Amino acid sequence: MTSPEYSPLGKHTVYADRYDPSLLFPIPRQAKRDEIGVDEPLPFQGVDIWNAYELSWLDMRRKPVAAVAEFHVPATSPNIIESKSFKLYLNGFAQEPVANAAALSALLQQDLSRAAGAPVMVYIREPRAAKHLFADLEGESIDGLPVKIDDYGPPKADYLRVSAAGDVVEEVLVSDLLRSNCPVTGQPDWGSVQIKYRGPAIDREGLLRYLVSFRTHNEFHEQCVERIFIDVMKRCAPEQLSVYARYTRRGGLDINPFRSTGKALPDNVRGARQ
């Protein structure tokens, strides 16, 4: 029983090597939003930023081309795109002749917009472009707090509270301890999260306990960030709030959801773990 077929290693997956848009699998957002009391009009604005580091196709001479792609899926889209289906779809271009990056970008935008149900922005860049340099999330880390933890899920909004002093502050807090699990595969999703707000000072120990309570929770990246946003708004009532999570990549893709009370979108800052 020591041969690979009896191990818990990943089982064989058939990867298409030609273009096939039917591989994309949309998942409606609303069911999970109903769980946290979110309906139209949305109480936030935002975007899901995807980065693809394993994009390749053939030029018209059949020579491979490699690139890095960035995708912006608006939070207002009715659907998210399941990540494994996204990976399989992108891998389908590996042996597909495409005239140039502009033609590929137009095709990707067409298919992804159809799956998401709203316009998706697509940016294709050379692999060594300066845009891909590292720049971690700004903010003050709360990970060093001497907090005893004995709760790892499901998420507990009750941990969230404002400090007794009630002072109004404007600050940016970050943690690298965000972890949840994919509801489809059960695989862990590791991430860093930035909480930027103006309002009554949030109790930092409570916030850290709350974030750690996602550790065994099964939910997609986008859903976790929306849950954090809604829980902080309900429990701490900030005047302004932004929640930005940068998840580590799997299968060449990372997903980075952003939700905010404001209109400004974040920079696509590639963290050291990404």
Side-chain angles (χ1 to χ4, degrees):
M1 296 295 184
T2 59
S3 57
E5 63 265 29
Y6 296 106
S7 79
L9 300 175
K11 302 306 179 184
H12 180 72
T13 298
V14 177
Y15 280 86
D17 60 4
R18 298 304 297 267
Y19 168 64
D20 184 0
S22 70
L23 292 170
L24 292 169
F25 189 84
I27 297 176
R29 296 184 190 266
Q30 194 56 49
K32 275 293 179 177
R33 286 178 172 172
D34 288 342
E35 285 186 15
I36 57 175
V38 171
D39 205 344
E40 299 288 346
L42 295 177
F44 48 68
Q45 302 188 53
V47 64
D48 302 323
I49 301 174
W50 298 63
N51 295 302
Y53 297 97
E54 298 177 4
L55 180 62
S56 185
W57 66 94
L58 303 181
D59 67 15
M60 302 315 289
R61 295 183 296 271
R62 302 302 193 269
K63 185 180 74 173
V65 180
V68 174
E70 178 180 333
F71 309 99
H72 289 196
V73 182
T76 53
S77 66
N79 304 319
I80 63 175
I81 301 172
E82 195 278 323
S83 62
K84 186 172 183 179
S85 77
F86 203 156
K87 296 164 195 169
L88 293 172
Y89 164 75
L90 292 177
N91 198 76
F93 288 96
Q95 294 298 112
E96 185 72 30
V98 182
N100 50 47
L104 178 60
S105 179
L107 189 57
L108 292 170
Q109 185 170 17
Q110 167 193 288
D111 295 340
L112 296 171
S113 297
R114 181 180 295 120
V120 174
M121 302 302 296
V122 178
Y123 308 93
I124 297 178
R125 303 184 180 94
E126 294 182 359
R128 302 194 181 194
K131 180 75 175 177
H132 311 309
L133 297 178
F134 296 110
D136 274 309
L137 290 170
E138 295 182 354
E140 185 176 353
S141 175
I142 61 174
D143 294 346
L145 294 172
V147 178
K148 182 178 180 180
I149 301 288
D150 57 9
D151 186 356
Y152 305 100
K156 300 286 195 308
D158 288 348
Y159 288 128
L160 294 169
R161 57 184 178 271
V162 297
S163 63
D167 296 332
V168 173
V169 301
E170 188 167 356
E171 62 182 357
V172 184
L173 305 176
V174 296
S175 174
D176 297 313
L177 300 183
L178 182 62
R179 178 193 187 269
S180 54
N181 300 298
C182 174
V184 175
T185 65
Q187 291 180 294
D189 296 320
W190 304 88
S192 300
V193 61
Q194 178 192 70
I195 312 289
K196 183 177 183 180
Y197 74 98
R198 173 179 171 78
I202 296 174
D203 178 82
R204 296 184 178 191
E205 291 190 1
L207 177 59
L208 184 58
R209 286 191 176 93
Y210 168 71
L211 294 175
V212 172
S213 72
F214 278 81
R215 197 167 179 85
T216 61
H217 182 57
N218 297 325
E219 205 162 48
F220 291 118
H221 305 64
E222 303 93 331
Q223 296 163 351
C224 287
V225 169
E226 292 188 359
R227 185 178 295 275
I228 294 170
F229 181 95
I230 293 299
D231 285 348
V232 172
M233 285 296 293
K234 286 182 177 178
R235 303 289 299 189
C236 303
E239 301 168 17
Q240 301 171 2
L241 175 65
S242 296
V243 178
Y244 190 18
R246 301 286 307 185
Y247 282 89
T248 59
R249 75 179 78 166
R250 196 163 63 229
L253 276 175
D254 62 43
I255 311 170
N256 311 282
F258 173 80
R259 301 293 183 269
S260 178
T261 55
K263 295 182 178 180
L265 296 181
D267 291 331
N268 185 15
V269 290
R270 180 184 173 193
R273 295 199 293 168
Q274 296 182 299

PDB file of all heavy atoms in Angstrom, residues 203-221:
ATOM      1  N   ASP A 203     -11.313  46.752  19.390  1.00  0.00           N
ATOM      2  CA  ASP A 203     -10.480  45.982  20.310  1.00  0.00           C
ATOM      3  C   ASP A 203      -9.640  44.990  19.507  1.00  0.00           C
ATOM      4  O   ASP A 203     -10.185  44.106  18.828  1.00  0.00           O
ATOM      5  CB  ASP A 203     -11.361  45.239  21.311  1.00  0.00           C
ATOM      6  CG  ASP A 203     -10.550  44.389  22.263  1.00  0.00           C
ATOM      7  OD1 ASP A 203     -10.033  44.936  23.246  1.00  0.00           O
ATOM      8  OD2 ASP A 203     -10.430  43.173  22.003  1.00  0.00           O
ATOM      9  N   ARG A 204      -8.324  45.114  19.597  1.00  0.00           N
ATOM     10  CA  ARG A 204      -7.442  44.337  18.730  1.00  0.00           C
ATOM     11  C   ARG A 204      -7.403  42.862  19.103  1.00  0.00           C
ATOM     12  O   ARG A 204      -7.319  42.000  18.221  1.00  0.00           O
ATOM     13  CB  ARG A 204      -6.041  44.944  18.740  1.00  0.00           C
ATOM     14  CG  ARG A 204      -6.007  46.349  18.165  1.00  0.00           C
ATOM     15  CD  ARG A 204      -4.602  46.903  18.088  1.00  0.00           C
ATOM     16  NE  ARG A 204      -4.588  48.249  17.495  1.00  0.00           N
ATOM     17  CZ  ARG A 204      -3.495  48.878  17.120  1.00  0.00           C
ATOM     18  NH1 ARG A 204      -2.303  48.313  17.299  1.00  0.00           N
ATOM     19  NH2 ARG A 204      -3.565  50.088  16.585  1.00  0.00           N
ATOM     20  N   GLU A 205      -7.449  42.562  20.386  1.00  0.00           N
ATOM     21  CA  GLU A 205      -7.439  41.154  20.786  1.00  0.00           C
ATOM     22  C   GLU A 205      -8.700  40.450  20.298  1.00  0.00           C
ATOM     23  O   GLU A 205      -8.647  39.314  19.821  1.00  0.00           O
ATOM     24  CB  GLU A 205      -7.306  41.039  22.300  1.00  0.00           C
ATOM     25  CG  GLU A 205      -5.939  41.464  22.828  1.00  0.00           C
ATOM     26  CD  GLU A 205      -5.763  41.111  24.295  1.00  0.00           C
ATOM     27  OE1 GLU A 205      -6.695  40.518  24.892  1.00  0.00           O
ATOM     28  OE2 GLU A 205      -4.689  41.424  24.845  1.00  0.00           O
ATOM     29  N   GLY A 206      -9.818  41.127  20.403  1.00  0.00           N
ATOM     30  CA  GLY A 206     -11.061  40.551  19.905  1.00  0.00           C
ATOM     31  C   GLY A 206     -11.034  40.345  18.402  1.00  0.00           C
ATOM     32  O   GLY A 206     -11.508  39.331  17.886  1.00  0.00           O
ATOM     33  N   LEU A 207     -10.453  41.312  17.683  1.00  0.00           N
ATOM     34  CA  LEU A 207     -10.345  41.202  16.232  1.00  0.00           C
ATOM     35  C   LEU A 207      -9.469  40.004  15.853  1.00  0.00           C
ATOM     36  O   LEU A 207      -9.807  39.247  14.930  1.00  0.00           O
ATOM     37  CB  LEU A 207      -9.757  42.488  15.645  1.00  0.00           C
ATOM     38  CG  LEU A 207      -9.511  42.498  14.132  1.00  0.00           C
ATOM     39  CD1 LEU A 207     -10.805  42.259  13.358  1.00  0.00           C
ATOM     40  CD2 LEU A 207      -8.869  43.818  13.697  1.00  0.00           C
ATOM     41  N   LEU A 208      -8.366  39.811  16.564  1.00  0.00           N
ATOM     42  CA  LEU A 208      -7.483  38.689  16.256  1.00  0.00           C
ATOM     43  C   LEU A 208      -8.191  37.357  16.520  1.00  0.00           C
ATOM     44  O   LEU A 208      -8.112  36.426  15.704  1.00  0.00           O
ATOM     45  CB  LEU A 208      -6.203  38.787  17.081  1.00  0.00           C
ATOM     46  CG  LEU A 208      -5.142  37.723  16.786  1.00  0.00           C
ATOM     47  CD1 LEU A 208      -4.726  37.747  15.321  1.00  0.00           C
ATOM     48  CD2 LEU A 208      -3.924  37.903  17.693  1.00  0.00           C
ATOM     49  N   ARG A 209      -8.885  37.262  17.655  1.00  0.00           N
ATOM     50  CA  ARG A 209      -9.639  36.041  17.943  1.00  0.00           C
ATOM     51  C   ARG A 209     -10.679  35.770  16.844  1.00  0.00           C
ATOM     52  O   ARG A 209     -10.899  34.621  16.438  1.00  0.00           O
ATOM     53  CB  ARG A 209     -10.328  36.151  19.300  1.00  0.00           C
ATOM     54  CG  ARG A 209      -9.389  36.032  20.489  1.00  0.00           C
ATOM     55  CD  ARG A 209     -10.193  35.871  21.784  1.00  0.00           C
ATOM     56  NE  ARG A 209      -9.312  35.668  22.922  1.00  0.00           N
ATOM     57  CZ  ARG A 209      -8.865  36.641  23.711  1.00  0.00           C
ATOM     58  NH1 ARG A 209      -9.242  37.897  23.474  1.00  0.00           N
ATOM     59  NH2 ARG A 209      -8.062  36.369  24.717  1.00  0.00           N
ATOM     60  N   TYR A 210     -11.324  36.834  16.413  1.00  0.00           N
ATOM     61  CA  TYR A 210     -12.337  36.692  15.358  1.00  0.00           C
ATOM     62  C   TYR A 210     -11.719  36.158  14.071  1.00  0.00           C
ATOM     63  O   TYR A 210     -12.252  35.216  13.459  1.00  0.00           O
ATOM     64  CB  TYR A 210     -13.008  38.041  15.109  1.00  0.00           C
ATOM     65  CG  TYR A 210     -13.865  38.090  13.871  1.00  0.00           C
ATOM     66  CD1 TYR A 210     -15.084  37.417  13.815  1.00  0.00           C
ATOM     67  CD2 TYR A 210     -13.450  38.804  12.751  1.00  0.00           C
ATOM     68  CE1 TYR A 210     -15.869  37.453  12.677  1.00  0.00           C
ATOM     69  CE2 TYR A 210     -14.227  38.853  11.607  1.00  0.00           C
ATOM     70  CZ  TYR A 210     -15.438  38.170  11.568  1.00  0.00           C
ATOM     71  OH  TYR A 210     -16.208  38.198  10.428  1.00  0.00           O
ATOM     72  N   LEU A 211     -10.602  36.733  13.640  1.00  0.00           N
ATOM     73  CA  LEU A 211      -9.970  36.298  12.396  1.00  0.00           C
ATOM     74  C   LEU A 211      -9.495  34.851  12.488  1.00  0.00           C
ATOM     75  O   LEU A 211      -9.642  34.075  11.535  1.00  0.00           O
ATOM     76  CB  LEU A 211      -8.813  37.226  12.040  1.00  0.00           C
ATOM     77  CG  LEU A 211      -9.197  38.670  11.692  1.00  0.00           C
ATOM     78  CD1 LEU A 211      -7.948  39.517  11.488  1.00  0.00           C
ATOM     79  CD2 LEU A 211     -10.076  38.713  10.441  1.00  0.00           C
ATOM     80  N   VAL A 212      -8.949  34.456  13.641  1.00  0.00           N
ATOM     81  CA  VAL A 212      -8.492  33.079  13.818  1.00  0.00           C
ATOM     82  C   VAL A 212      -9.672  32.104  13.796  1.00  0.00           C
ATOM     83  O   VAL A 212      -9.524  30.944  13.396  1.00  0.00           O
ATOM     84  CB  VAL A 212      -7.680  32.944  15.122  1.00  0.00           C
ATOM     85  CG1 VAL A 212      -7.368  31.479  15.428  1.00  0.00           C
ATOM     86  CG2 VAL A 212      -6.370  33.726  15.015  1.00  0.00           C
ATOM     87  N   SER A 213     -10.856  32.575  14.154  1.00  0.00           N
ATOM     88  CA  SER A 213     -12.017  31.681  14.182  1.00  0.00           C
ATOM     89  C   SER A 213     -12.490  31.269  12.786  1.00  0.00           C
ATOM     90  O   SER A 213     -13.425  30.464  12.659  1.00  0.00           O
ATOM     91  CB  SER A 213     -13.168  32.321  14.973  1.00  0.00           C
ATOM     92  OG  SER A 213     -13.772  33.393  14.271  1.00  0.00           O
ATOM     93  N   PHE A 214     -11.850  31.790  11.740  1.00  0.00           N
ATOM     94  CA  PHE A 214     -12.118  31.327  10.370  1.00  0.00           C
ATOM     95  C   PHE A 214     -11.295  30.083  10.026  1.00  0.00           C
ATOM     96  O   PHE A 214     -11.459  29.512   8.950  1.00  0.00           O
ATOM     97  CB  PHE A 214     -11.772  32.429   9.354  1.00  0.00           C
ATOM     98  CG  PHE A 214     -12.846  33.466   9.182  1.00  0.00           C
ATOM     99  CD1 PHE A 214     -12.971  34.499  10.093  1.00  0.00           C
ATOM    100  CD2 PHE A 214     -13.736  33.410   8.118  1.00  0.00           C
ATOM    101  CE1 PHE A 214     -13.954  35.465   9.943  1.00  0.00           C
ATOM    102  CE2 PHE A 214     -14.730  34.365   7.962  1.00  0.00           C
ATOM    103  CZ  PHE A 214     -14.834  35.395   8.882  1.00  0.00           C
ATOM    104  N   ARG A 215     -10.422  29.659  10.914  1.00  0.00           N
ATOM    105  CA  ARG A 215      -9.370  28.690  10.587  1.00  0.00           C
ATOM    106  C   ARG A 215      -9.884  27.348  10.086  1.00  0.00           C
ATOM    107  O   ARG A 215      -9.245  26.701   9.254  1.00  0.00           O
ATOM    108  CB  ARG A 215      -8.473  28.504  11.801  1.00  0.00           C
ATOM    109  CG  ARG A 215      -7.126  27.866  11.484  1.00  0.00           C
ATOM    110  CD  ARG A 215      -6.184  28.021  12.663  1.00  0.00           C
ATOM    111  NE  ARG A 215      -4.884  27.413  12.419  1.00  0.00           N
ATOM    112  CZ  ARG A 215      -3.875  28.002  11.797  1.00  0.00           C
ATOM    113  NH1 ARG A 215      -4.024  29.248  11.350  1.00  0.00           N
ATOM    114  NH2 ARG A 215      -2.723  27.388  11.626  1.00  0.00           N
ATOM    115  N   THR A 216     -11.034  26.887  10.556  1.00  0.00           N
ATOM    116  CA  THR A 216     -11.597  25.621  10.079  1.00  0.00           C
ATOM    117  C   THR A 216     -12.897  25.835   9.303  1.00  0.00           C
ATOM    118  O   THR A 216     -13.628  24.878   9.026  1.00  0.00           O
ATOM    119  CB  THR A 216     -11.867  24.667  11.266  1.00  0.00           C
ATOM    120  OG1 THR A 216     -12.810  25.280  12.154  1.00  0.00           O
ATOM    121  CG2 THR A 216     -10.582  24.365  12.019  1.00  0.00           C
ATOM    122  N   HIS A 217     -13.168  27.076   8.938  1.00  0.00           N
ATOM    123  CA  HIS A 217     -14.425  27.443   8.272  1.00  0.00           C
ATOM    124  C   HIS A 217     -14.355  27.133   6.784  1.00  0.00           C
ATOM    125  O   HIS A 217     -13.338  27.379   6.127  1.00  0.00           O
ATOM    126  CB  HIS A 217     -14.676  28.933   8.494  1.00  0.00           C
ATOM    127  CG  HIS A 217     -15.954  29.440   7.919  1.00  0.00           C
ATOM    128  ND1 HIS A 217     -17.190  28.926   8.254  1.00  0.00           N
ATOM    129  CD2 HIS A 217     -16.204  30.434   7.018  1.00  0.00           C
ATOM    130  CE1 HIS A 217     -18.137  29.581   7.600  1.00  0.00           C
ATOM    131  NE2 HIS A 217     -17.557  30.497   6.845  1.00  0.00           N
ATOM    132  N   ASN A 218     -15.434  26.605   6.230  1.00  0.00           N
ATOM    133  CA  ASN A 218     -15.507  26.280   4.802  1.00  0.00           C
ATOM    134  C   ASN A 218     -16.283  27.364   4.069  1.00  0.00           C
ATOM    135  O   ASN A 218     -17.506  27.465   4.220  1.00  0.00           O
ATOM    136  CB  ASN A 218     -16.192  24.926   4.598  1.00  0.00           C
ATOM    137  CG  ASN A 218     -15.429  23.782   5.212  1.00  0.00           C
ATOM    138  OD1 ASN A 218     -14.205  23.784   5.229  1.00  0.00           O
ATOM    139  ND2 ASN A 218     -16.134  22.796   5.728  1.00  0.00           N
ATOM    140  N   GLU A 219     -15.562  28.166   3.273  1.00  0.00           N
ATOM    141  CA  GLU A 219     -16.209  29.244   2.524  1.00  0.00           C
ATOM    142  C   GLU A 219     -15.221  29.772   1.497  1.00  0.00           C
ATOM    143  O   GLU A 219     -14.012  29.749   1.723  1.00  0.00           O
ATOM    144  CB  GLU A 219     -16.637  30.359   3.487  1.00  0.00           C
ATOM    145  CG  GLU A 219     -17.777  31.205   2.993  1.00  0.00           C
ATOM    146  CD  GLU A 219     -18.434  31.984   4.121  1.00  0.00           C
ATOM    147  OE1 GLU A 219     -17.708  32.617   4.910  1.00  0.00           O
ATOM    148  OE2 GLU A 219     -19.668  31.973   4.210  1.00  0.00           O
ATOM    149  N   PHE A 220     -15.740  30.229   0.374  1.00  0.00           N
ATOM    150  CA  PHE A 220     -14.873  30.787  -0.654  1.00  0.00           C
ATOM    151  C   PHE A 220     -14.246  32.102  -0.182  1.00  0.00           C
ATOM    152  O   PHE A 220     -14.782  32.787   0.702  1.00  0.00           O
ATOM    153  CB  PHE A 220     -15.659  31.031  -1.953  1.00  0.00           C
ATOM    154  CG  PHE A 220     -16.097  29.773  -2.654  1.00  0.00           C
ATOM    155  CD1 PHE A 220     -17.445  29.492  -2.832  1.00  0.00           C
ATOM    156  CD2 PHE A 220     -15.172  28.869  -3.132  1.00  0.00           C
ATOM    157  CE1 PHE A 220     -17.863  28.338  -3.479  1.00  0.00           C
ATOM    158  CE2 PHE A 220     -15.571  27.709  -3.790  1.00  0.00           C
ATOM    159  CZ  PHE A 220     -16.917  27.441  -3.958  1.00  0.00           C
ATOM    160  N   HIS A 221     -13.112  32.456  -0.791  1.00  0.00           N
ATOM    161  CA  HIS A 221     -12.391  33.678  -0.435  1.00  0.00           C
ATOM    162  C   HIS A 221     -13.315  34.898  -0.389  1.00  0.00           C
ATOM    163  O   HIS A 221     -13.307  35.671   0.568  1.00  0.00           O
ATOM    164  CB  HIS A 221     -11.289  33.983  -1.465  1.00  0.00           C
ATOM    165  CG  HIS A 221     -10.301  32.894  -1.713  1.00  0.00           C
ATOM    166  ND1 HIS A 221     -10.641  31.681  -2.258  1.00  0.00           N
ATOM    167  CD2 HIS A 221      -8.955  32.863  -1.525  1.00  0.00           C
ATOM    168  CE1 HIS A 221      -9.560  30.938  -2.387  1.00  0.00           C
ATOM    169  NE2 HIS A 221      -8.526  31.626  -1.953  1.00  0.00           N
TER     170      HIS A 221
END
